[in-house]
């Protein structure tokens, strides 16, 4: 069951009748909020249309109730005071509150879309895109973005889910992830996984034609390095090396990568299939075995830390670039 909203309902400045207020919002919990037509009209096409309709004449009755004495039009709204407090604070003061839960944010977003309050929707969208303001579960954010058609938020959140293994993906607060949206997310994760793993992965090619061939020789093509003078290319130690082509500008350098470097690439590829984010390739569990193996070679041991660290940084950036290029079908 979805959690319920828990927006704070403190006394509000809008409950105080200012002389220049010209309309009253009557909330679902029967609070009267004194507001200004001009503000609502500018912010909302729904209110603008409503205020353009012929308004009932003031009652001029003999009642002594406070509302009747105000002589202002009353607009009933189906949200409670807490929701309208947030909306009005955002409209009047341009303050975006710190929402305690994504369900709180959802009820405000629901009202913003109902009344066509574009400014409110944009501010919430901005808050959801700011990681410091949005500490929520990425799947919750993705679900919310799909429900309210916030494409940039959906893309951002889908990418954030990549840091979590599939079995840890769950929406903690929203339990209304539409099946089709979830399916699109899974398809996106598969494409992101392939793109990330492809940066580290070796391929098999026919050495005669250079074309991909399952029965061919292991080969690595790299087009994202600033140089080709790394010790794992320059040295000829150890076994299990792999042919590679390193493209620098318009030149292609045919090199042989050392066995410990190839083993690192294989570990990185496996890790990226689990978690397709660039930072994964810097994990000590992936790099330390390469440092240890290179330590057995007199030449490599002097250069491996600096060289592999630089290589790994370049690869992490390339992984993030490859994943960022994967489209989310929204
Ligand atoms: Zn060596």
């Amino acid at each position: 069951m979805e959690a319920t909203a828990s927006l704070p309902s403190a006394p509000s400045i809008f409950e105080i009748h200012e002389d220049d207020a010209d309309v009253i919002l009557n909330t679902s919990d029967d609070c009267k909020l004194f507001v200004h037509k001009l503000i609502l009209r500018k912010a909302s096409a729904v209110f603008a249309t409503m205020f353009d309709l012929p308004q009932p004449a003031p009652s001029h009755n003999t009642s002594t109730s406070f509302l009747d004495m105000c002589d202002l039009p009353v607009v009933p709204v189906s949200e409670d005071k807490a929701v309208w407090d947030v909306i009005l604070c955002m409209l009047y003061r341009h303050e975006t509150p710190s929402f305690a839960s994504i369900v709180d944010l959802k009820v405000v977003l629901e009202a913003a879309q109902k009344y066509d309050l574009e400014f409110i929707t944009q501010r919430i969208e901005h808050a959801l895109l700011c990681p410091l303001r949005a500490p929520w579960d990425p799947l919750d954010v993705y679900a919310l973005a799909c429900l309210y058609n916030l494409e940039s938020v959906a893309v951002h959140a889908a990418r954030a889910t990549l840091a979590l293994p599939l079995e840890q993906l769950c929406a903690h607060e929203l339990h209304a992830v539409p099946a089709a949206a979830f399916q699109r997310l899974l398809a996106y994760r598969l494409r992101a996984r392939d793109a990330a793993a492809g940066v580290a992965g070796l391929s098999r090619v026919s050495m005669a034609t250079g074309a991909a061939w399952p029965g061919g020789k292991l080969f690595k093509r790299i087009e994202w390095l600033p140089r080709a003078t790394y010790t794992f290319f320059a040295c000829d130690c150890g076994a299990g090396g792999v042919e590679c082509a390193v493209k620098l500008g318009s030149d292609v350098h045919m090199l042989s990568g050392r066995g410990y470097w190839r083993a690192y690439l294989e570990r990185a590829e496996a890790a990226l299939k689990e978690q397709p984010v660039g930072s994964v390739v810097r994990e000590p569990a992936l790099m330390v075995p390469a440092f240890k193996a290179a330590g057995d070679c007199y030449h490599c041991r002097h250069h491996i830390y600096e060289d592999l660290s630089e290589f790994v940084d370049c690869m992490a950036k390339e992984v993030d670039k490859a994943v960022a290029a994967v489209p989310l079908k929204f």
Side-chain angles (χ1 to χ4, degrees):
M1 203 177 115
E2 185 169 309
T4 49
S6 56
L7 289 166
S9 190
S12 155
I13 57 160
F14 300 102
E15 289 176 284
I16 301 162
H17 178 27
E18 300 285 353
D19 284 345
D20 58 349
D22 54 3
V23 65
I24 297 168
L25 298 181
N26 191 14
T27 62
S28 62
D29 44 354
D30 202 28
C31 289
K32 313 293 185 279
L33 302 175
F34 293 86
V35 291
H36 302 82
K37 283 183 181 174
L38 181 65
I39 302 277
L40 294 178
R41 176 189 287 280
K42 292 283 181 195
S44 156
V46 172
F47 279 107
T49 305
M50 190 190 302
F51 296 145
D52 284 342
L53 296 173
Q55 303 289 307
S59 53
H60 292 302
N61 60 23
T62 54
S63 165
T64 54
S65 82
F66 174 67
L67 264 189
D68 288 334
M69 288 167 70
C70 288
D71 235 7
L72 297 178
V74 177
V75 175
V77 286
S78 53
E79 299 74 27
D80 63 18
K81 171 186 159 297
V83 170
W84 274 100
D85 270 346
V86 170
I87 291 174
L88 294 174
C89 276
M90 289 172 81
L91 290 180
Y92 276 72
R93 299 175 174 176
H94 291 199
E95 285 174 2
T96 306
S98 298
F99 293 98
S101 80
I102 203 156
V103 180
D104 288 351
L105 198 148
K106 181 174 180 272
V107 293
V108 176
L109 200 50
E110 175 89 32
Q113 297 219 335
K114 176 179 164 186
Y115 295 101
D116 198 10
L117 290 156
E118 182 66 23
F119 175 78
I120 304 288
T121 302
Q122 281 174 0
R123 293 296 288 242
I124 291 178
E125 195 168 2
H126 182 76
L128 284 167
L129 286 170
C130 174
L132 290 177
R133 294 202 61 147
W136 301 296
D137 185 289
L139 188 57
D140 276 326
V141 176
Y142 175 77
L144 188 77
C146 290
L147 284 171
Y148 294 102
N149 219 22
L150 307 176
E151 185 169 359
S152 59
V153 176
V155 170
H156 187 78
R159 194 162 170 202
T161 70
L162 298 177
L164 295 171
L166 192 57
E167 64 273 16
Q168 285 180 27
L169 263 193
C170 73
H172 291 99
E173 296 187 73
L174 297 181
H175 297 275
V177 186
F182 194 68
Q183 197 176 27
R184 287 195 295 274
L185 180 68
L186 293 182
Y188 166 79
R189 284 175 66 94
L190 287 176
R191 289 194 300 274
R193 186 195 71 176
D194 290 347
V199 174
L202 301 160
S203 50
R204 286 194 178 271
V205 298
S206 159
M207 294 315 280
T209 63
W213 179 44
K217 203 173 171 187
L218 271 181
F219 184 75
K220 182 67 187 161
R221 178 182 297 279
I222 302 175
E223 299 185 351
W224 36 264
L225 283 176
R227 62 185 174 106
T229 53
Y230 300 100
T231 192
F232 43 80
F233 293 143
C235 192
D236 60 358
C237 62
V242 61
E243 297 301 310
C244 36
V246 177
K247 189 163 185 264
L248 297 175
S250 55
D251 297 332
V252 177
H253 300 253
M254 298 307 294
L255 301 160
S256 176
R258 297 299 84 227
Y260 64 78
W261 175 75
R262 169 191 159 178
Y264 163 77
L265 287 183
E266 289 169 345
R267 286 190 297 277
E269 181 186 14
L272 288 167
K273 281 183 178 169
E274 294 294 314
Q275 210 178 338
V277 290
S279 56
V280 159
V281 302
R282 296 192 186 95
E283 291 287 331
L286 304 185
M287 294 180 70
V288 168
F291 292 144
K292 281 185 179 163
D296 292 339
C297 166
Y298 176 79
H299 180 73
C300 286
R301 88 168 66 130
H302 292 292
H303 305 283
I304 189 62
Y305 186 82
E306 187 185 340
D307 283 7
L308 190 64
S309 298
E310 181 181 310
F311 174 83
V312 165
D313 281 345
C314 293
M315 190 159 81
K317 282 183 195 147
E318 187 65 19
V319 166
D320 287 335
K321 203 168 120 189
V323 171
V326 174
L328 171 76
K329 293 190 176 79
F330 187 65

